[in-house]
Amino acid sequence: MTLACIDIPALPLQLALREHPDWRLHPVVMVQEDRPEALILYANRPAQKLSIHPGLRFNQAQALSSQLHAAIFDPIALEHERDALFKLLTRFSPGVEPDKYSSGIFWLDASGLRRMYRTTPQWGKKILSVLQQRQLITSVVVGTYRYCIFALARMRVGLWVLENPEEELILARRVPLHKLDLSAKLLQTFHLLGVHTLGDFLSLPADGLRLRYGDEAFALYQRASGQTYEPLEPTQPVEIVRQTLQIEPADDDLTRLLFGIKTHLHAMTDILSKRCEALTALHVKLLLDHAPALHERVEFSKPTLDVLQILELVRLRLSATSLAGPVKEIILEAETFGVHPEQLALLLQGTPKRDLMAAARALARIRAAYGHNSVQRAQLLNFHLPEQSFTWTPTTEVFFPSPAQKFDSPPLIRRFFAIPHVLPQVPRHEPETWLGSWGVAQKFQGPFRIFGQWWSHSSARDYFFIDTTTAQILWVYYDSHKRRWFLQGTVD
Amino acid sequence: MNAYVPLWVKSNFSFLEGASHPHELVEQAHQWGLPAIALTDRDGVYGIVQAHTKAQELGIKLLIGSELTLTEPHSSSVVVLAQNRQGYSNLCQLLSKGHLQTHKGASLLNLDDLLPFAEHLLALCTDPHLLEPLQTAFADRLYALFVNHLNVQQVQHQQELKKTAHRLKIPLVGGNEVLYHTPARQPLQDVLTCIRHGVTLPTAGTLLRPNAEHYLKTAQNMRQLFMEEPELLQRTLEIAERCTFSLTELRYRYPGEKLPQGLSETDWLSHLTYEGIRKRYPGDSPPQVVQQIKRELQLIQELDYGGYFLTMYEIVQFCRSQNIFCQGRGSAANSVVCFALGITAVDPIQLDLLFERFLSRERAEPPDIDLDIEHNRREEVIQWVYNRYGRRYAAMVANVIRYRTRSAIREVGKTLGLPLTALDRLSKLLGSRFSDLSDEALRYAGLDPLSPVHQHLLSLSAEIVDFPRHLSIHPGGFLLGHEPVDTLVPIEPGAMPGRTVIQWDKYAIEDLGLFKVDLLGLGALTQVHECFDLLRQFENKDFSLASVPHEDASTYRMISRGDTLGTFQIESRAQMSMLPRLRPKTFYDLVIEVAIVRPGPIQGDMVHPYLRRRDGLEKADYPHPQLKQVLEKTLGVPLFQEQVMKIAILVGGYTPGEADQLRRDMAAWKSSGRIERHHDKLIARMIQNNITPEFAERIFSQIRGFGEYGFPESHAASFALIAYITAYLRCHHPAAFTCSLLNAQPMGFYSPATIVEDAKRRGVQVAPIDANHSQWNCSLFRHDNTLGVRMGYRYIKGFGQNEQQIFQQTSAPYKNLEDFVRRTQLSTSALLQLAEAGAFDCFKMSRRTALWDIQEILKRRGDSLVLPKYSGSIAQFRDVPLEEQIFWDYRTSEHSTRGHPIAKLRPQLSEQNIPTAQQLNSLPDGTRTNYVGMTICRQHPATAAGVTFYTLEDETGFVNLVVWHQIFERYSVLARTALLMGVHGKIQSENGVVHFIADKLWDPQIAFPSDGTTVRSFH
């Protein structure tokens, strides 16, 4: 079998440099986290020229260069890039295996591609060119032995096609050990022993190696010597469960459409239950006749396989939507979540009726009808300004209330307006007219001062509670910055 | 009613809470015309001395108290104020109790703790739930403290407080919590709060106070706040009247010593002094000495300082009894009594030292005796002092850690939410590229100076600088008391186990005129002690500090060559350069040498006139016949603090006390400008004494330049004595000297590698670490009738107490590697380090084979049956070439006895006509050449106008490299990081002193491992 090793060295750093092309000529490092003592994971060439190497702490490196730029390791961006690269490489080979240990390495099955690309070098060049377009510096090595081509990929950037397996073995023996991602400890051990290349390493007795340095060294020996059979384990792209429903002739009757959807939902849940998966959300794509397609996403309160519940939520969502034309095709796509078979059985049986669950379902229906953010709950925050003392957060669950404090008599409740009402300036004459329909101010309590937030939008407010002739208590403030009175709310 | 008294005031000594210095609060209160102000810092009286000094100066009354943190019935606090001396004593004891029953930096008290100490204390309570339990303890001394911070959250609480106070008939008093003297400090207080809680400003929320109402208000402001109940403010005056205590009432008595029956303190001190002086001067003591003793004893008796001298005597006696080397330093060496008691070792009469520098009637301030103790045994002495006087009677003095620019940037920046990496970069730029935080520094660090957040960073960092951050321990200062110290000042646990520390630092102690006993650690004494022990053991020579032969010519010859590596005080690069110019021939020359290489004489432009006169190039002139007596020994140039004082006395008409004040003002002139007060007085009086105005001005400018960096002659003499002893040992007993120096590390300027190389160049055989010969410490061995040094295991990197214990329990010889591995039971990493360091060469195996075999032996170390070596396939390893062995040595032990790393590069260097250090040092002045050497020392003195001094080393010696600022910046990476450095430059040779002035730095591009070698950088 002919294999190809695609090695994108220091992929996370390359991604950071792609984000900041202006950094390329400067020393740049990638650190594990945003703190001065963070470990340097990667360093570009200008940084390495200044003796800044991975393993150093950022603050140590700064002593070597005050011009040093730092990028923070972003695992999410890396994962996205790896997914994208995986998809990209599947265009060149049906067998693509992302390496388990190194984020920048992919293994490709390079057999039988000559018909498409005429020669292996042309195939390799194509890959290189695609990756170059993504601004990634890459090595592509094609050969026979997995470890040998990996080792050789570390030797130079670009394409290297090795036709002769024996030559491949000989060349690989010259590769320095420090290029091969060995653990620092093992590398140091062999360095001290004067074992600097793969060839030096392979001349050590294998049994002695295992006895002294354990499985890592022995496994390396076996891989490097070709004693381990390492077949390509291509990753299969996850197949999305999809149901397509052709409607002939196009129809805009919701009941008939739902009836059709129901049949396909049964088929979908059957497939999912076999895959030990449950639905967390359903994408409903409606292709319309002579009108743009419509896409709705229906989210469930919990992973489910309950067709009736799913159908009910789809009905709510579609009835809230007006169709610009008759539907000619419906595509259902599942968003799923893997579950244990035992849990799956529970999902299929249905769950006991409990009020909180019912409430959760009700909320799910509201979300289905009005969108994900339509159900929110207030969460208290410890801030001085009333408008900052709470926040709304989307919620999918409801809880039983648990009051933290008990009162002998009902507490006074301050209700405030979403946007404070601007009050007129206090008239010099006839001040009793100031509050208008709220009545005449009788008694003031205050001021209660909030003065701070000087680091952003500073606030300077004097709050008062005003008893009015209409038996109301108003909650007002004077804003010294704006030089205006505002009605914040009322007190019940 | 016109006034009120702020009763709940917290300064920045309520660490990370208060946002004003104590003196700022007192000044503001005075400015507002308030009759008094309280200082009630959280769980302490840290700042009261500062506040007291300012209050005395301004004539405003200071009430002293503290806010006590309580744990019961719930987390709360109560403010207490001392009514009188007894109340203050109770407060201090209460605070000590609170601190000693929890961890460092915190205090916790419960209600039961308060009860025994509540007498003579007034309590102010804001917590309605605490009123009833506190009433039991404080009775009519309890007040309900009603606050009005315009905070809506406090309304309900305050109503409850009022209700409870009325019910319990507890009087209400009005007042706010003051955290800063001006509302402009609110941002800083917010920042401090964030630092304290470890949060950022945007996320701090209600941890921050809602407004800026915690400032020190005027009486009018307070009247408006308490408009409805003005009697609440009236009561603050009533409370202030009830508190009569002032720090001036503190009557400190030095602890009395155990005296023989029938003898007074003075009698006993007199007896010990005369007994001591008889030992110092066998036979009849010179009349001058006897006269001086009488004068000193009379003054000591008059000022009642006898106990202090007896304490120092006792400590010295304890050290002697335990064979711990010690010696007094500083101005104590001016006293014959100290010399007679054995506290100091320098004869002040012989050196004509000025007693008034140590003690004077006018000053009536406690004397300051600093005792140097060999550093590895100082803790024994400290613990003895604790035991001798008791934990309540002895505690160490605090050291207040304050914000400096770098720490300010880091912590303020964090609260502003700035990226930590950027802050780190900015803080590192300060002190290297920029001296102050400025727009330019921000720009250089990649931060936009126009951005508001960076503006906040600038202003707040500047404000927070010098704010106290936390308390630490003074290196060796003790406060001892006749009465328990915790009745004077609270005692806290120190971070170090077994240490307790008071809440005041040395400045507060000085301001209050309290006695401090300084017990300082000195590595040189440890070294000298060990060297004497080795000489006794190997050469049968019995030396003591006093019996080292005086005025040894060969020692002075060696010193005059600048060949002083490892000696005390005269080993630095600057000292080594000065020695060939000064060429000391007597002990007094050495005293001058120690004193002259100091920023004071250098900045006062005294060095060159002195050297010219010494070389006979310039005549010593004296502006007044009387000054000849004072300045004769320094050829007319004032080099010591005592000389300045004597000039002031003789030609300025100063009394000794005034002269001492001049000395103090000299020390403080940079910060306060107090020296200028003496200008007119001194010049006028000198002119009256027929000194020309020009010369008078010159003397004054020298005094000004002297500043705080000048040495007193007595101090220089004490140090010179140790310098001479170490030089003598180096000259005559190089092996013992090297061995003891290596065992006393870390100390001094040079790395072990440099010490080893220096010893080898002086003919000392230094043997490597060897499993069958080494001990934990370096040791001496005899070879062909000469002594050599065997390196000890202590130099293996990573070896510590565990390994030390192992080597003390097992002993060589070992049959083979397996025997060593089994018997020592050392860890894998320790064994591999030893193999790498070549310690198993004695088993006739290469380092690589040892590394390979150790792993195999370790697998069966636990087997009780010793089987033959595993017979698997044989591994063959390349030999480690010598140059690599040297690098391995450096990596594992920071030195090599096998050779100098550069020696193996020599053929390559010679091919390029690059000279050795020895060759370079003999090149004529002005020669241009290249040189390659190892950087062993990098100095960047603040007084050197941006010049960096390097010491480069090769196998033949040292090269003194001078790198000017612009060259340093041009080759900054190389200059900062290179261990092996190539330099092109010019030779500057004068009077045998050679400097190599760099034009260009370059990388020699020779494989040279960086691990293991270290450069010592000094600023």
Side-chain angles (χ1 to χ4, degrees), chain B residues 467-483:
Chain B
F467 261 46
R469 174 72 173 74
H470 60 270
L471 220 59
S472 161
I473 306 184
H474 184 270
F478 258 105
L479 179 68
L480 306 176
H482 181 76
E483 311 296 336

Side-chain angles (χ1 to χ4, degrees), chain B residues 43-187:
Chain B
D43 298 318
V45 293
Y46 309 95
I48 60 170
V49 180
Q50 278 188 31
H52 166 76
T53 311
K54 187 47 82 177
Q56 291 283 99
E57 185 188 319
L58 300 173
I60 180 173
K61 182 174 176 180
L62 178 72
L63 314 186
I64 289 171
S66 178
E67 181 191 309
L68 308 176
T69 305
L70 300 178
T71 48
E72 287 178 358
H74 55 268
S75 174
S76 186
S77 69
V78 60
V79 176
V80 293
L81 295 169
Q83 281 187 278
N84 48 34
R85 175 67 181 88
Q86 184 56 48
Y88 177 72
S89 164
N90 287 349
L91 172 64
C92 291
Q93 290 178 71
L94 201 49
L95 287 167
S96 302
K97 191 175 174 64
H99 279 282
L100 292 170
Q101 58 194 15
T102 182
H103 60 88
K104 183 188 177 294
S107 166
L108 283 181
L109 291 165
N110 57 41
L111 288 170
D112 291 340
D113 294 328
L114 290 181
L115 208 55
F117 300 103
E119 282 294 315
H120 307 287
L121 287 174
L122 299 183
L124 314 174
C125 178
T126 56
D127 186 344
H129 307 291
L130 270 183
L131 285 177
E132 199 159 356
L134 285 176
Q135 200 174 24
T136 322
F138 289 93
D140 69 335
R141 298 184 313 285
L142 174 65
Y143 293 84
L145 181 58
F146 188 84
V147 297
N148 187 356
H149 298 120
L150 304 184
N151 181 356
V152 73
Q153 305 297 337
Q154 289 178 342
V155 173
Q156 195 185 347
H157 194 75
Q158 292 299 297
Q159 294 310 325
E160 210 179 322
L161 180 86
K162 251 186 197 175
K163 234 176 6 185
T164 315
H166 285 310
R167 179 169 60 80
L168 298 170
K169 298 193 173 48
I170 293 170
L172 279 161
V173 61
N176 278 357
E177 180 193 35
V178 176
L179 295 174
Y180 32 85
H181 68 293
T182 158
R185 285 279 169 89
Q186 185 209 8

Side-chain angles (χ1 to χ4, degrees), chain B residues 719-735:
Chain B
F719 273 10
L721 187 63
I722 304 177
Y724 174 78
I725 292 170
T726 51
Y728 177 86
L729 294 171
R730 185 178 191 274
C731 182
H732 294 280
H733 306 283

Side-chain angles (χ1 to χ4, degrees), chain B residues 409 418 422-423 425-426 429-430 434 436-451 453-459:
Chain B
I409 288 166
L418 294 170
L423 291 172
R425 182 162 49 186
L426 180 59
L429 283 172
L430 296 170
F434 299 96
D436 292 314
L437 185 56
S438 59
D439 284 3
E440 201 195 341
L442 281 177
R443 218 171 281 121
Y444 200 84
L447 302 172
D448 175 13
L450 297 177
S451 147
V453 72
H454 299 148
Q455 287 293 321
H456 289 315
L457 178 68
L458 280 182
S459 60

Side-chain angles (χ1 to χ4, degrees), chain B residues 464-533:
Chain B
I464 206 173
V465 165
D466 216 30
F467 261 46
R469 174 72 173 74
H470 60 270
L471 220 59
S472 161
I473 306 184
H474 184 270
F478 258 105
L479 179 68
L480 306 176
H482 181 76
E483 311 296 336
V485 168
D486 65 5
T487 62
L488 275 177
V489 53
I491 298 176
E492 299 186 3
M496 197 172 158
R499 298 274 185 98
T500 45
V501 57
I502 61 168
Q503 289 190 342
W504 292 338
D505 64 5
K506 65 173 186 172
Y507 302 108
I509 297 278
E510 270 175 26
D511 285 346
L512 291 177
L514 307 183
F515 283 70
K516 179 163 69 73
V517 172
D518 267 333
L519 306 177
L520 306 164
L522 193 67
L525 284 176
T526 310
Q527 185 216 340
V528 170
H529 193 167
E530 176 161 353
C531 192
F532 287 175
D533 288 348

Side-chain angles (χ1 to χ4, degrees), chain A residues 185 187-195 208 211-213, chain B residues 817 821 828-841 845-858 869 875 877-878 880 884 888 891-892:
Chain A
K185 192 178 163 195
L187 197 61
Q188 172 66 6
T189 300
F190 292 129
H191 175 72
L192 288 177
L193 291 173
V195 174
L211 178 75
R212 287 166 177 82
Y213 304 113
Chain B
L817 179 61
V821 173
T828 309
S829 61
L831 288 165
L832 295 176
Q833 281 282 87
L834 284 169
E836 212 183 315
F840 301 129
D841 290 2
M845 62 198 324
S846 79
R847 297 187 194 200
R848 284 184 172 139
T849 310
L851 285 167
W852 180 255
D853 283 0
I854 282 168
Q855 296 286 5
E856 192 259 328
I857 295 168
L858 281 168
K869 193 179 163 187
F877 300 105
R878 284 185 278 266
V880 185
E884 214 170 311
W888 285 34
R891 188 167 55 226
T892 51

Side-chain angles (χ1 to χ4, degrees), chain A residues 378 380 385-387 389-390 392 410-421 438 463-466 472-477 486-492:
Chain A
L380 291 179
L385 287 174
E387 64 269 29
S389 61
F390 70 96
W392 293 109
L412 292 173
I413 294 167
R414 276 178 276 175
R415 298 185 190 281
F416 63 93
F417 301 117
I419 298 168
H421 295 182
W438 293 103
Y463 276 89
F464 295 86
F465 294 100
I466 303 176
Q472 293 185 91
I473 304 174
L474 303 184
W475 187 21
V476 305
Y477 68 86
F486 290 88
L487 178 62
Q488 179 83 70
T490 59
V491 182
D492 294 349

Side-chain angles (χ1 to χ4, degrees), chain A residues 34-54:
Chain A
D34 180 19
R35 59 190 191 96
E37 306 80 24
L39 205 64
I40 293 176
L41 302 174
Y42 303 98
N44 71 349
R45 200 157 285 178
Q48 292 190 8
K49 274 188 182 168
L50 297 170
S51 306
I52 298 169
H53 297 287

